[in-house]
Amino acid sequence: MLNTSEVVFLQLGAMAALAFYVAANLGANDVANSMGTSVGSKALTLRQAIIVAGILEFSGAVLFGQGVSETLATGVVNAQVFAAQPQVFLIGMVSVLIACGIWLQIATSRGLPVSSSHAVVGAIAGFSCVAAGINAVDWRTIGTISLTWVATPVASGALAALFYSVVKYSILDRPDPLSQMREWIPWLSAAMLSVFGIIVLPSVVDVALVQTGAIALAHDRFGWNLPIHDVVIGIGSIGAIGLTLNSWKKLESVEKEEERRKKEEGRSTNSSPTPTLRHSLIEQQMARFQVLSACFVAFSHGSNDVGNAVAPLAAIAYIRRTGSFPSEDFSVPLWILVVGGAGIVIGLAIWGKNVIATVGEKIIELQPSGGFCAELATATTVLLASRFGLPVSTSHALVGAVVGVGLIKAWKSVRLQTLLSIGSAWLVTIPIAAGLAAIIFSIAQSIGQF
């Protein structure tokens, strides 16, 4: 017979396996947010995207996922209702894991990008209604999340349309686009590193310099008082300057290579590149920007959205350890972050190609210039929403951004059937996840002791 500690260990192991399953489906579905446009624009092959995203998603989840908010675990419910019955809440969180895993896998198998955040919220609301009635749910939070269905893709689409209009009319459609590209490289570098730097760098600096005591050591030894925001701005500025210089060098080397090739073919070296060649050179440069932006998105996605998979597991582990409802000291242990990060990578590698293909290829045909604008708009939208404390979906933001680029590029080429399928999946995510969690919770309660 197994003793009590062994039973608890086996039960927790089973819950970890469930969280791994949810994380795998999250990785297969949500990672299209960071890599879908890069694959669709041919800036990366599918294999390259899976490798790059796998490394960065795991790194972000494990190294910087500690900031996962307890909102997903406790903010959607009325804490007072479950404070006296933590074991009921535990059974509910198990139901959430199963329901989210099932719905995300169904959506992923059909190539539909859905919001894992909304799935978790819907599942929590579903079991809470069954467990303690409708008053157990914070309906204001549900209402706010529902409003983001409309606001997020519209805002992101508008920003992407604005960014792509600037690129199109200032670079692509000019008589000498190569010269324009040289002039715009510093601005593109600054824009990208400003947006993505604000998302990623504060967490990096906090872990690398603040938590390690490096900044405190610099103050004690040299008397330097280094505010965090100044360090972030300094790193971002150095990065922007380095990226600009490297991009100028790459553009110059590509032009020289083309001139050498033409000379070998017997053409005049004084002849200017053809419009097709110019366009190709510009898209090659844009592809580099897009790949770098995709890396930032993947890293930040891993550090932020891993909570959708592991927050229920963290709540379960907390209740198992303390026997009480998660309180203010609720946090996500490192081993749970490793489970979530590993699950994201495995799911991406096995199932990720379906959703990546939908976002990158089936809405509109993308080129690196359009893909870069879509990713920049997505990051900007999510960043602004975070600053105002609004819960948004990266999936919604990216799809809206791709459509925004399509409307400026060639609005008739936007595939409405694909958008209708995606929109339908968005609308039914919360009610389906809620229904699944309610059914699973009811079955678990009828079986008896968990």
Side-chain angles (χ1 to χ4, degrees):
M1 295 291 293
L2 297 175
N3 58 41
T4 303
S5 62
E6 290 174 333
V7 171
V8 171
F9 178 79
L10 290 176
Q11 289 177 337
L12 194 57
M15 297 307 100
L18 271 177
F20 183 90
Y21 170 65
V22 175
N25 283 285
L26 183 150
N29 198 291
D30 268 14
V31 176
N33 301 331
S34 57
M35 291 296 163
T37 54
S38 295
V39 174
S41 67
K42 306 299 188 293
L44 287 174
T45 66
L46 180 61
R47 181 183 179 86
Q48 289 172 335
I50 288 175
I51 293 173
V52 171
I55 294 173
L56 292 171
E57 290 274 348
F58 183 81
S59 300
V62 174
L63 296 178
F64 302 104
Q66 294 92 339
V68 175
S69 173
E70 65 179 82
T71 300
L72 280 176
T74 61
V76 181
V77 301
N78 185 342
Q80 295 178 348
V81 173
F82 291 102
Q85 44 184 352
Q87 292 301 318
V88 173
F89 188 73
L90 185 151
I91 298 173
M93 281 295 151
V94 175
S95 305
V96 167
L97 287 174
I98 298 173
C100 290
I102 292 173
W103 170 239
L104 287 174
Q105 184 165 19
I106 292 172
T108 301
S109 67
R110 296 179 176 273
L112 299 174
V114 296
S115 170
S116 57
S117 301
H118 291 180
V120 172
V121 169
I124 294 174
F127 97 78
S128 298
C129 287
V130 173
I134 60 174
N135 291 329
V137 180
D138 185 345
W139 293 107
R140 179 176 296 180
T141 299
I142 300 293
T144 302
I145 293 172
S146 299
L147 288 176
T148 65
W149 284 343
V150 177
T152 300
V154 170
S156 185
L159 283 174
L162 174 63
F163 293 155
Y164 189 70
S165 295
V166 172
V167 171
K168 186 175 186 293
Y169 296 119
S170 299
I171 301 175
L172 300 178
D173 292 347
R174 290 300 183 93
D176 188 3
L178 286 177
S179 176
Q180 291 297 116
M181 184 66 190
R182 290 191 194 93
E183 293 182 8
W184 274 89
I185 280 176
W187 298 104
L188 294 175
S189 301
M192 184 179 68
L193 286 172
S194 294
V195 173
F196 293 107
I198 292 173
I199 294 175
V200 177
L201 281 180
S203 297
V204 175
V205 170
D206 179 67
V207 173
L209 299 181
V210 177
Q211 295 185 23
T212 60
I215 288 184
L217 180 63
H219 181 269
D220 293 340
R221 180 165 297 183
F222 304 106
W224 296 346
N225 186 14
L226 301 175
I228 297 299
H229 61 272
D230 287 351
V231 176
V232 170
I233 292 173
I235 295 174
S237 300
I238 294 172
I241 293 172
L243 180 59
T244 297
L245 296 176
N246 182 262
S247 299
W248 276 338
K249 184 178 179 180
K250 290 288 186 182
L251 187 60
E252 182 180 356
S253 65
V254 169
E255 289 180 295
K256 289 182 178 179
E257 178 62 24
E258 290 298 329
E259 291 180 356
R260 184 191 63 79
R261 183 183 60 80
K262 288 191 302 179
K263 185 175 182 180
E264 291 178 351
E265 294 176 354
R267 301 177 185 176
S268 170
T269 55
N270 294 324
S271 62
S272 59
T274 64
T276 301
L277 177 58
R278 288 172 176 170
H279 186 75
S280 175
L281 294 176
I282 291 173
E283 292 298 342
Q284 287 179 32
Q285 186 62 56
M286 283 292 186
R288 296 187 180 93
F289 281 99
Q290 188 185 0
V291 170
L292 186 58
S293 67
C295 290
F296 279 119
V297 174
F299 187 89
S300 58
H301 176 270
S303 63
N304 293 326
D305 281 17
V306 69
N308 298 333
V310 302
L313 176 60
I316 292 170
Y318 183 94
I319 295 173
R320 280 297 189 196
R321 186 177 72 253
T322 65
S324 61
F325 185 82
S327 58
E328 293 181 356
D329 64 344
F330 170 73
S331 61
V332 182
L334 179 61
W335 72 268
I336 292 181
L337 294 174
V338 172
V339 169
I344 287 175
V345 174
I346 297 299
L348 168 66
I350 297 175
W351 302 308
K353 61 182 180 181
N354 293 334
V355 178
I356 286 178
T358 297
V359 174
E361 300 172 358
K362 294 183 180 179
I363 298 176
I364 189 175
E365 293 183 2
L366 283 172
Q367 293 178 313
S369 54
F372 168 71
C373 292
E375 289 177 352
L376 188 62
T378 298
T380 303
T381 302
V382 174
L383 173 64
L384 291 175
S386 299
R387 285 290 177 265
F388 289 102
L390 298 175
V392 296
S393 165
T394 310
S395 302
H396 294 188
L398 185 68
V399 170
V402 172
V403 173
V405 170
L407 293 177
I408 298 299
K409 185 178 180 181
W411 65 271
K412 290 184 178 180
S413 63
V414 176
R415 300 181 179 96
L416 295 180
Q417 187 59 46
T418 300
L419 292 180
L420 288 175
S421 298
I422 293 173
S424 299
W426 288 354
L427 289 175
V428 301
T429 289
I430 283 186
I432 285 182
L436 284 173
I439 293 171
I440 295 168
F441 178 80
S442 299
I443 294 174
Q445 272 200 321
S446 65
I447 291 175
Q449 180 67 32
F450 168 70

